[in-house]
Amino acid sequence: MFENNPLSSFYKRIYLNKYFYSNCIYCNFKKDLNINFKEIFFVYNDEKYVHLGDFLFIIPLLKYFNKRFKCKLILNKDHKLLLKKISPDLVQLTKSKIKLKKKSLIITNPYMLNKFEKEFVLGLGLPSSKIYIPYPKYLITQICKFIGIKFNIKEYNNIIKNMRLNAKMKNKSMCKEKKIFIFAPFIGSGKFRDILKFKQKKLIETKIKYENQGYSCVLIGSKYDKIRHKFKYDLRGQSLLTVMNIINSKNVKFGVGFDNFWMHYFDLINKKYFVLFRGRFFKKNKQMHYKSINLSFSKHPTRKF
């Protein structure tokens, strides 16, 4: 129905207003129907609306609800690969097609609501008002309240704890480094926000500051990312699993970079990440990211550049 471009974003939001239920929650049916759902389909196969970093928010939700409902997943290739790395036990739930029963619920991105007009659908969006707990945790509490089941904080904390990989660093030279920080100075989407590289230069200054304090820097990014500076440890082009293993090792103390996939991953496993915000055009959107989405801002305001 909609194309994914900046020009149409305004119309998308207007369209979604009729589905808005509460902060982060959109639905196409009335809550007072009191439906006892038996099966949940998580549909996250449209990469236009859900990037890898966004999908990280959904994984704790998948693990939590898989213990309470019969869950099935519809994912694209990249999301399935990420799930295989972080939570391989859930990969077996992936399906190629949606086959719904009478008491099935679909959970997806709000922009997918128009594709399931005859089904029961919940759309999980970003906060429209301030929240005071991590976004993945907030999503679970909101949906539990909507469906009418009790939220178990102890179980949620165990899920987050178990998402950390039991990793050992394979690089012999890096193993000898006792204090490592991960450096992620590249923008995945919205590259126009730093087209002159002024923000990247600011990150490089921060990198030098920590190196002068005795930390060793490990550069990460895609094989296509360019930077003029030379690095002793350059892991551009390495697989997600390789980088995740390194991040989870005890040698790595924190990360430095933009608000990208790696910021979300550091937040999820509760490791420090000093973040430089790419920015947003409107003050409201900027404040929403500071307070609700980019936890490196909300939990640790001194980490801002």
Side-chain angles (χ1 to χ4, degrees), residues 170-190:
K170 296 180 179 180
N171 186 301
K172 293 182 179 180
S173 179
M174 286 175 59
C175 283
K176 297 177 182 178
E177 305 285 359
K178 295 183 179 181
K179 296 196 305 180
I180 292 175
F181 71 93
I182 299 296
F183 190 51
F186 306 111
I187 296 176
S189 60

PDB file of all heavy atoms in Angstrom, residues 170-190:
ATOM      1  N   LYS A 170      39.323 -15.791  19.542  1.00  0.00           N
ATOM      2  CA  LYS A 170      40.205 -16.708  18.827  1.00  0.00           C
ATOM      3  C   LYS A 170      41.503 -16.041  18.361  1.00  0.00           C
ATOM      4  O   LYS A 170      42.506 -16.714  18.153  1.00  0.00           O
ATOM      5  CB  LYS A 170      39.468 -17.301  17.619  1.00  0.00           C
ATOM      6  CG  LYS A 170      38.275 -18.165  18.014  1.00  0.00           C
ATOM      7  CD  LYS A 170      37.580 -18.736  16.793  1.00  0.00           C
ATOM      8  CE  LYS A 170      36.405 -19.607  17.191  1.00  0.00           C
ATOM      9  NZ  LYS A 170      35.703 -20.188  16.015  1.00  0.00           N
ATOM     10  N   ASN A 171      41.457 -14.729  18.159  1.00  0.00           N
ATOM     11  CA  ASN A 171      42.653 -14.009  17.711  1.00  0.00           C
ATOM     12  C   ASN A 171      43.688 -13.991  18.837  1.00  0.00           C
ATOM     13  O   ASN A 171      43.465 -13.403  19.897  1.00  0.00           O
ATOM     14  CB  ASN A 171      42.268 -12.578  17.306  1.00  0.00           C
ATOM     15  CG  ASN A 171      43.417 -11.816  16.698  1.00  0.00           C
ATOM     16  OD1 ASN A 171      44.455 -11.630  17.323  1.00  0.00           O
ATOM     17  ND2 ASN A 171      43.231 -11.366  15.468  1.00  0.00           N
ATOM     18  N   LYS A 172      44.831 -14.648  18.633  1.00  0.00           N
ATOM     19  CA  LYS A 172      45.836 -14.791  19.694  1.00  0.00           C
ATOM     20  C   LYS A 172      46.393 -13.453  20.147  1.00  0.00           C
ATOM     21  O   LYS A 172      46.637 -13.245  21.339  1.00  0.00           O
ATOM     22  CB  LYS A 172      46.967 -15.694  19.201  1.00  0.00           C
ATOM     23  CG  LYS A 172      46.534 -17.142  18.986  1.00  0.00           C
ATOM     24  CD  LYS A 172      47.718 -18.000  18.548  1.00  0.00           C
ATOM     25  CE  LYS A 172      47.262 -19.451  18.352  1.00  0.00           C
ATOM     26  NZ  LYS A 172      48.394 -20.318  17.923  1.00  0.00           N
ATOM     27  N   SER A 173      46.592 -12.562  19.190  1.00  0.00           N
ATOM     28  CA  SER A 173      47.120 -11.241  19.534  1.00  0.00           C
ATOM     29  C   SER A 173      46.128 -10.454  20.375  1.00  0.00           C
ATOM     30  O   SER A 173      46.494  -9.816  21.371  1.00  0.00           O
ATOM     31  CB  SER A 173      47.469 -10.467  18.261  1.00  0.00           C
ATOM     32  OG  SER A 173      47.953  -9.183  18.580  1.00  0.00           O
ATOM     33  N   MET A 174      44.847 -10.507  20.002  1.00  0.00           N
ATOM     34  CA  MET A 174      43.804  -9.792  20.742  1.00  0.00           C
ATOM     35  C   MET A 174      43.589 -10.397  22.119  1.00  0.00           C
ATOM     36  O   MET A 174      43.221  -9.694  23.063  1.00  0.00           O
ATOM     37  CB  MET A 174      42.495  -9.795  19.946  1.00  0.00           C
ATOM     38  CG  MET A 174      42.515  -8.855  18.744  1.00  0.00           C
ATOM     39  SD  MET A 174      41.027  -8.979  17.717  1.00  0.00           S
ATOM     40  CE  MET A 174      39.768  -8.579  18.899  1.00  0.00           C
ATOM     41  N   CYS A 175      43.825 -11.692  22.250  1.00  0.00           N
ATOM     42  CA  CYS A 175      43.664 -12.359  23.553  1.00  0.00           C
ATOM     43  C   CYS A 175      44.599 -11.776  24.607  1.00  0.00           C
ATOM     44  O   CYS A 175      44.301 -11.802  25.806  1.00  0.00           O
ATOM     45  CB  CYS A 175      43.931 -13.860  23.414  1.00  0.00           C
ATOM     46  SG  CYS A 175      42.576 -14.763  22.656  1.00  0.00           S
ATOM     47  N   LYS A 176      45.711 -11.259  24.155  1.00  0.00           N
ATOM     48  CA  LYS A 176      46.703 -10.707  25.074  1.00  0.00           C
ATOM     49  C   LYS A 176      46.322  -9.308  25.558  1.00  0.00           C
ATOM     50  O   LYS A 176      46.886  -8.813  26.535  1.00  0.00           O
ATOM     51  CB  LYS A 176      48.067 -10.677  24.404  1.00  0.00           C
ATOM     52  CG  LYS A 176      48.601 -12.063  24.034  1.00  0.00           C
ATOM     53  CD  LYS A 176      49.939 -11.955  23.312  1.00  0.00           C
ATOM     54  CE  LYS A 176      50.458 -13.337  22.900  1.00  0.00           C
ATOM     55  NZ  LYS A 176      51.739 -13.244  22.160  1.00  0.00           N
ATOM     56  N   GLU A 177      45.379  -8.688  24.843  1.00  0.00           N
ATOM     57  CA  GLU A 177      44.938  -7.344  25.216  1.00  0.00           C
ATOM     58  C   GLU A 177      43.940  -7.452  26.366  1.00  0.00           C
ATOM     59  O   GLU A 177      42.917  -8.120  26.253  1.00  0.00           O
ATOM     60  CB  GLU A 177      44.277  -6.648  24.017  1.00  0.00           C
ATOM     61  CG  GLU A 177      45.127  -6.587  22.770  1.00  0.00           C
ATOM     62  CD  GLU A 177      46.234  -5.553  22.851  1.00  0.00           C
ATOM     63  OE1 GLU A 177      46.323  -4.851  23.889  1.00  0.00           O
ATOM     64  OE2 GLU A 177      47.000  -5.427  21.881  1.00  0.00           O
ATOM     65  N   LYS A 178      44.205  -6.794  27.459  1.00  0.00           N
ATOM     66  CA  LYS A 178      43.326  -6.882  28.628  1.00  0.00           C
ATOM     67  C   LYS A 178      42.199  -5.852  28.612  1.00  0.00           C
ATOM     68  O   LYS A 178      41.169  -6.039  29.265  1.00  0.00           O
ATOM     69  CB  LYS A 178      44.155  -6.727  29.904  1.00  0.00           C
ATOM     70  CG  LYS A 178      45.146  -7.863  30.129  1.00  0.00           C
ATOM     71  CD  LYS A 178      45.883  -7.697  31.436  1.00  0.00           C
ATOM     72  CE  LYS A 178      46.850  -8.854  31.676  1.00  0.00           C
ATOM     73  NZ  LYS A 178      47.567  -8.720  32.961  1.00  0.00           N
ATOM     74  N   LYS A 179      42.401  -4.751  27.882  1.00  0.00           N
ATOM     75  CA  LYS A 179      41.385  -3.697  27.832  1.00  0.00           C
ATOM     76  C   LYS A 179      41.116  -3.330  26.375  1.00  0.00           C
ATOM     77  O   LYS A 179      41.915  -2.635  25.744  1.00  0.00           O
ATOM     78  CB  LYS A 179      41.836  -2.461  28.623  1.00  0.00           C
ATOM     79  CG  LYS A 179      42.008  -2.707  30.112  1.00  0.00           C
ATOM     80  CD  LYS A 179      42.061  -1.403  30.896  1.00  0.00           C
ATOM     81  CE  LYS A 179      43.121  -0.439  30.398  1.00  0.00           C
ATOM     82  NZ  LYS A 179      43.134   0.813  31.191  1.00  0.00           N
ATOM     83  N   ILE A 180      39.980  -3.805  25.868  1.00  0.00           N
ATOM     84  CA  ILE A 180      39.620  -3.574  24.464  1.00  0.00           C
ATOM     85  C   ILE A 180      38.308  -2.794  24.394  1.00  0.00           C
ATOM     86  O   ILE A 180      37.409  -2.997  25.200  1.00  0.00           O
ATOM     87  CB  ILE A 180      39.454  -4.910  23.717  1.00  0.00           C
ATOM     88  CG1 ILE A 180      40.804  -5.623  23.586  1.00  0.00           C
ATOM     89  CG2 ILE A 180      38.833  -4.714  22.333  1.00  0.00           C
ATOM     90  CD1 ILE A 180      40.698  -7.011  22.974  1.00  0.00           C
ATOM     91  N   PHE A 181      38.212  -1.872  23.413  1.00  0.00           N
ATOM     92  CA  PHE A 181      36.918  -1.281  23.114  1.00  0.00           C
ATOM     93  C   PHE A 181      36.628  -1.445  21.623  1.00  0.00           C
ATOM     94  O   PHE A 181      37.526  -1.451  20.791  1.00  0.00           O
ATOM     95  CB  PHE A 181      36.830   0.192  23.538  1.00  0.00           C
ATOM     96  CG  PHE A 181      37.634   1.153  22.708  1.00  0.00           C
ATOM     97  CD1 PHE A 181      37.068   1.811  21.625  1.00  0.00           C
ATOM     98  CD2 PHE A 181      38.971   1.425  23.025  1.00  0.00           C
ATOM     99  CE1 PHE A 181      37.803   2.712  20.867  1.00  0.00           C
ATOM    100  CE2 PHE A 181      39.709   2.325  22.282  1.00  0.00           C
ATOM    101  CZ  PHE A 181      39.135   2.974  21.193  1.00  0.00           C
ATOM    102  N   ILE A 182      35.351  -1.657  21.317  1.00  0.00           N
ATOM    103  CA  ILE A 182      34.892  -1.836  19.945  1.00  0.00           C
ATOM    104  C   ILE A 182      34.594  -0.470  19.342  1.00  0.00           C
ATOM    105  O   ILE A 182      33.944   0.366  19.974  1.00  0.00           O
ATOM    106  CB  ILE A 182      33.630  -2.724  19.895  1.00  0.00           C
ATOM    107  CG1 ILE A 182      33.923  -4.112  20.467  1.00  0.00           C
ATOM    108  CG2 ILE A 182      33.095  -2.822  18.466  1.00  0.00           C
ATOM    109  CD1 ILE A 182      34.942  -4.912  19.691  1.00  0.00           C
ATOM    110  N   PHE A 183      35.048  -0.248  18.122  1.00  0.00           N
ATOM    111  CA  PHE A 183      34.874   1.046  17.457  1.00  0.00           C
ATOM    112  C   PHE A 183      34.007   0.850  16.222  1.00  0.00           C
ATOM    113  O   PHE A 183      34.374   0.128  15.296  1.00  0.00           O
ATOM    114  CB  PHE A 183      36.242   1.612  17.075  1.00  0.00           C
ATOM    115  CG  PHE A 183      36.209   3.042  16.600  1.00  0.00           C
ATOM    116  CD1 PHE A 183      35.582   4.028  17.340  1.00  0.00           C
ATOM    117  CD2 PHE A 183      36.831   3.409  15.403  1.00  0.00           C
ATOM    118  CE1 PHE A 183      35.559   5.355  16.911  1.00  0.00           C
ATOM    119  CE2 PHE A 183      36.831   4.721  14.974  1.00  0.00           C
ATOM    120  CZ  PHE A 183      36.186   5.701  15.725  1.00  0.00           C
ATOM    121  N   ALA A 184      32.812   1.477  16.208  1.00  0.00           N
ATOM    122  CA  ALA A 184      31.849   1.333  15.105  1.00  0.00           C
ATOM    123  C   ALA A 184      31.495   2.710  14.539  1.00  0.00           C
ATOM    124  O   ALA A 184      30.406   3.242  14.798  1.00  0.00           O
ATOM    125  CB  ALA A 184      30.597   0.616  15.599  1.00  0.00           C
ATOM    126  N   PRO A 185      32.389   3.305  13.738  1.00  0.00           N
ATOM    127  CA  PRO A 185      32.199   4.684  13.284  1.00  0.00           C
ATOM    128  C   PRO A 185      31.470   4.830  11.954  1.00  0.00           C
ATOM    129  O   PRO A 185      31.653   5.818  11.239  1.00  0.00           O
ATOM    130  CB  PRO A 185      33.647   5.156  13.129  1.00  0.00           C
ATOM    131  CG  PRO A 185      34.365   3.934  12.634  1.00  0.00           C
ATOM    132  CD  PRO A 185      33.685   2.746  13.309  1.00  0.00           C
ATOM    133  N   PHE A 186      30.634   3.837  11.609  1.00  0.00           N
ATOM    134  CA  PHE A 186      29.966   3.861  10.315  1.00  0.00           C
ATOM    135  C   PHE A 186      28.450   3.889  10.490  1.00  0.00           C
ATOM    136  O   PHE A 186      27.905   3.277  11.404  1.00  0.00           O
ATOM    137  CB  PHE A 186      30.369   2.635   9.486  1.00  0.00           C
ATOM    138  CG  PHE A 186      31.847   2.471   9.333  1.00  0.00           C
ATOM    139  CD1 PHE A 186      32.513   1.423   9.959  1.00  0.00           C
ATOM    140  CD2 PHE A 186      32.588   3.377   8.587  1.00  0.00           C
ATOM    141  CE1 PHE A 186      33.877   1.268   9.833  1.00  0.00           C
ATOM    142  CE2 PHE A 186      33.962   3.235   8.453  1.00  0.00           C
ATOM    143  CZ  PHE A 186      34.615   2.181   9.079  1.00  0.00           C
ATOM    144  N   ILE A 187      27.785   4.605   9.589  1.00  0.00           N
ATOM    145  CA  ILE A 187      26.332   4.718   9.605  1.00  0.00           C
ATOM    146  C   ILE A 187      25.753   3.728   8.615  1.00  0.00           C
ATOM    147  O   ILE A 187      26.111   3.723   7.440  1.00  0.00           O
ATOM    148  CB  ILE A 187      25.886   6.144   9.240  1.00  0.00           C
ATOM    149  CG1 ILE A 187      26.382   7.131  10.311  1.00  0.00           C
ATOM    150  CG2 ILE A 187      24.374   6.228   9.119  1.00  0.00           C
ATOM    151  CD1 ILE A 187      26.071   8.581   9.990  1.00  0.00           C
ATOM    152  N   GLY A 188      24.845   2.873   9.103  1.00  0.00           N
ATOM    153  CA  GLY A 188      24.235   1.882   8.232  1.00  0.00           C
ATOM    154  C   GLY A 188      23.152   2.472   7.346  1.00  0.00           C
ATOM    155  O   GLY A 188      23.133   2.288   6.139  1.00  0.00           O
ATOM    156  N   SER A 189      22.227   3.221   7.939  1.00  0.00           N
ATOM    157  CA  SER A 189      21.162   3.875   7.179  1.00  0.00           C
ATOM    158  C   SER A 189      21.145   5.355   7.542  1.00  0.00           C
ATOM    159  O   SER A 189      21.479   5.743   8.648  1.00  0.00           O
ATOM    160  CB  SER A 189      19.806   3.242   7.509  1.00  0.00           C
ATOM    161  OG  SER A 189      19.513   3.368   8.887  1.00  0.00           O
ATOM    162  N   GLY A 190      20.751   6.182   6.574  1.00  0.00           N
ATOM    163  CA  GLY A 190      20.766   7.631   6.798  1.00  0.00           C
ATOM    164  C   GLY A 190      22.156   8.228   6.711  1.00  0.00           C
ATOM    165  O   GLY A 190      22.518   9.120   7.481  1.00  0.00           O
TER     166      GLY A 190
END
